[in-house]
Amino acid sequence: MADPRGFLKVRQRETQPRRPVPVRIMDWKEVYEAQEKGVLKSQAGRCMDCGVPFCHQGCPLGNLIPEWNDLVWRDKGEEAIERLHATNNFPEFTGRLCPAPCEASCVLGINQPAVTIKQVEVSIIDEAFDNGWVNPLPPTRLTGKTVAVVGSGPAGLAVAQQLTRVGHTVAVYERDDKIGGLLRYGIPDFKMEKEQVDRRLEQMKAEGTRFRTGVAVGTDVTWEQLRRRYDSVVVATGATVPRDLPIPGRGLEGVHYAMDYLVPANRVVAGEQVENQIHAKGKHVVILGGGDTGADCLGTAHRHGAASVTTLAIGKQPSVERTPNQPWPTFPTLFEVASAHEEGGERTYLASTVEFVGENGKLTGVKVAETEFVDGKRLPKTGTERIIPADLVFLSLGFTGAEPAGITEQVHAEFDGRGNVARDGYYMTNTEGVFVAGDAGRGQSLIVWAIAEGRACAAAVDKFLMGTTILPAPVAPTDRAIAVL
């Protein structure tokens, strides 16, 4: 274990410092600064010999958190990355983007601030890349089996890397011009610079994974063609159908889905030319939805130089501490201040959007009212309406499921009632040999769940192709561990 008395000697939780707001909103680089080595070691040393490490159950990947906390405290970085990579293919992604349910389950968190697990994790992988400890792991032999993975987000990449390493020939199909899915075009650089994606892809290419960009499966090539060409097909297209808000004025110019704003912005940051880019400079911006995507829009609008930014959420403001109905070690819904919220803007809760108002077909404002609860429903309260000036509105209301893209017609795979591709307990659809992993089958979820499902789906595919598997399977679609594949 780490320092046996570390949690008694170091009671203060100290996270990675953020760059000053006036500085960081002038560029698109990551907002975090490197944490001093001694501080990192002392924070890792707060990890207790708690007997039953509940952080294991809090993490869908089952990360060996106490083990690599101990190794960091002992300054054994190369061993730490080996333990981290044993359960997590891409800690550079989760260490930056995951909301850290493991920290909510930390035993120390019962009566002290939890261990900075996420910060230790990202420091391990960053040090490993800097020191050349992340090397390709190509297979020792090829099986002769082929797999097509459709979608190059975290789930698809995890499936591909696991199956490549056991000897299958894997091709990843991506409709965009570059690999990465929403990791590349949905996540702003101030949260994760794309160098993190590129250097991991170099490792995967060296291992033998093949990538096919600019191919829209379902149109450019059909799902049935993939089935004939490959021994197995994995659907990892994500849950990309945005939730709409069909209220009066929805058709006004200036009302957009969040991704229609974020994706072109990320392309421009990457040096691409984008025609008719939605730009917030000098404009009054309203964001509907208080989640991570809304915060991404907020940070992007700040860097564009918006005149004002208002975030509206229909529900109540979450508590800053656990409530009785969210006891330890569950993952609570808490009021959080992301880096984008530090940078400015107004956050309003209990705000029901009633109408988009405008003139001559262009948006000029958003009519909102206070939210009241009637028979368990959230409704606008009569007489409380007001208009917020707005030139741009971004709908950040979540996603309703996977895009059909010919899946039903071409391979007869079914969708469930929530808009997800239906699957059995081993990630297979009702069409033999066609599997689904990540948000496409689970619905909108966390990046850590996408990687965990990708690893488990890879084990299921390997067993389907070979009759047995040595790949670990951390989770099943029911969120319970698969005991035996």
Side-chain angles (χ1 to χ4, degrees):
M1 62 170 293
D3 186 352
R5 301 182 61 83
F7 69 99
L8 296 174
K9 294 187 294 186
V10 183
R11 303 181 70 88
Q12 182 178 356
R13 172 185 166 96
E14 192 169 342
T15 56
Q16 192 174 12
R18 295 169 177 169
R19 294 191 291 138
V21 170
V23 175
R24 72 189 194 221
I25 63 172
M26 302 301 293
D27 61 44
W28 295 89
K29 296 186 180 297
E30 290 184 15
V31 303
Y32 290 100
E33 297 177 334
Q35 193 170 49
E36 197 272 323
K37 185 77 171 179
V39 175
L40 179 70
K41 290 179 64 175
S42 66
Q43 289 295 308
R46 296 179 68 234
C47 186
M48 307 165 59
D49 185 9
C50 54
V52 179
F54 276 78
C55 55
H56 283 191
Q57 70 86 29
C59 176
L61 284 162
N63 279 336
L64 306 172
I65 295 164
E67 296 185 27
W68 39 258
N69 274 334
D70 174 53
L71 291 167
V72 168
W73 181 71
R74 297 177 186 277
D75 202 19
K76 297 183 177 180
E78 196 164 3
E79 293 181 36
I81 189 58
E82 289 180 2
R83 301 311 292 149
L84 181 51
H85 269 152
T87 56
N88 187 352
N89 296 66
F90 314 122
E92 66 274 27
F93 303 159
T94 52
R96 287 173 168 82
L97 305 175
C98 180
C102 53
E103 293 185 7
S105 299
C106 176
V107 174
L108 185 59
I110 295 175
N111 61 0
Q112 285 190 38
V115 175
T116 56
I117 298 170
K118 180 177 173 180
Q119 171 56 31
V120 176
E121 176 182 14
V122 76
S123 298
I124 292 171
I125 182 60
D126 286 350
E127 182 184 26
F129 271 120
D130 291 343
N131 287 282
W133 298 335
V134 181
N135 299 306
L137 299 174
T140 56
R141 63 179 181 84
L142 295 178
T143 64
K145 302 293 185 179
T146 58
V147 182
V149 177
V150 183
S152 66
L157 293 180
V159 171
Q161 186 167 63
Q162 292 292 92
L163 291 177
T164 296
R165 287 176 172 178
V166 293
H168 303 308
T169 301
V170 182
V172 178
Y173 286 81
E174 171 56 57
R175 63 183 177 183
D176 285 329
D177 56 330
K178 293 181 180 179
I179 294 295
L182 291 184
L183 288 171
R184 183 174 297 279
Y185 290 128
I187 303 297
D189 279 45
F190 59 80
K191 288 179 67 174
M192 187 181 74
E193 295 179 40
K194 301 309 173 277
E195 174 195 11
Q196 308 300 332
V197 180
D198 292 336
R199 60 188 183 181
R200 183 61 73 173
L201 292 178
E202 289 304 312
Q203 180 202 33
M204 294 183 65
K205 291 175 183 177
E207 290 172 345
T209 302
R210 304 173 183 183
F211 295 99
R212 307 281 187 263
T213 56
V215 180
V217 177
T219 53
D220 296 338
V221 61
T222 68
W223 292 92
E224 186 56 41
Q225 286 174 321
L226 289 186
R227 285 193 65 207
R228 291 197 299 266
R229 190 179 304 172
Y230 294 89
D231 295 309
S232 183
V233 175
V234 178
V235 182
T237 54
T240 55
V241 179
R243 180 172 284 105
D244 203 353
L245 185 62
I247 60 175
R250 172 63 180 87
L252 290 170
E253 181 182 340
V255 182
H256 306 277
Y257 291 119
M259 285 302 163
D260 292 339
Y261 176 55
L262 293 175
V263 172
N266 284 329
R267 287 184 176 276
V268 171
V269 172
E272 300 180 26
Q273 296 293 324
V274 176
E275 295 183 3
N276 303 315
Q277 180 194 3
I278 303 168
H279 206 285
K281 184 176 181 179
K283 296 183 178 180
H284 298 286
V285 177
V286 174
I287 301 167
L288 303 186
D292 288 341
T293 304
D296 293 345
C297 290
L298 177 62
T300 302
H302 288 150
R303 285 157 179 77
H304 279 173
S308 69
V309 189
T310 303
T311 301
L312 304 178
I314 192 172
K316 298 178 181 179
Q317 178 176 320
S319 171
V320 296
E321 297 181 349
R322 288 184 184 272
T323 53
N325 65 330
Q326 300 181 99
W328 178 89
T330 60
F331 185 42
T333 300
L334 300 177
F335 179 74
E336 296 182 355
V337 179
S339 64
H341 299 131
E342 289 181 338
E343 297 164 0
E346 179 181 343
R347 302 172 77 177
T348 303
Y349 290 87
L350 289 176
S352 294
T353 306
V354 178
E355 181 182 356
F356 301 121
V357 297
E359 296 177 358
N360 301 319
K362 293 188 176 181
L363 179 76
T364 60
V366 180
K367 182 184 287 187
V368 300
E370 293 180 15
T371 303
E372 64 177 349
F373 294 82
V374 179
D375 297 328
K377 296 181 179 179
R378 299 179 295 191
L379 301 173
K381 185 177 181 181
T382 304
T384 64
E385 295 86 356
R386 62 188 177 97
I387 294 179
I388 300 174
D391 303 302
L392 288 172
V393 167
F394 299 127
L395 304 181
S396 177
L397 305 173
F399 300 87
T400 60
E403 296 180 33
I407 296 174
T408 301
E409 299 83 2
Q410 296 173 14
V411 294
H412 311 294
E414 299 176 351
F415 281 70
D416 62 23
R418 298 186 299 128
N420 305 318
V421 182
R423 57 194 183 173
D424 64 16
Y426 296 95
Y427 296 89
M428 191 185 293
T429 68
N430 59 294
T431 301
E432 187 177 27
V434 178
F435 295 78
V436 59
D439 289 2
R442 179 183 182 83
Q444 182 187 2
S445 190
L446 307 179
I447 184 172
V448 67
W449 273 113
I451 298 172
E453 286 213 357
R455 288 170 63 86
C457 180
V461 172
D462 188 37
K463 185 174 187 297
F464 170 76
L465 294 175
M466 307 300 293
T468 185
T469 183
I470 60 172
L471 290 174
V475 294
T478 56
D479 298 354
R480 292 188 296 270
I482 300 178
V484 178
L485 268 172

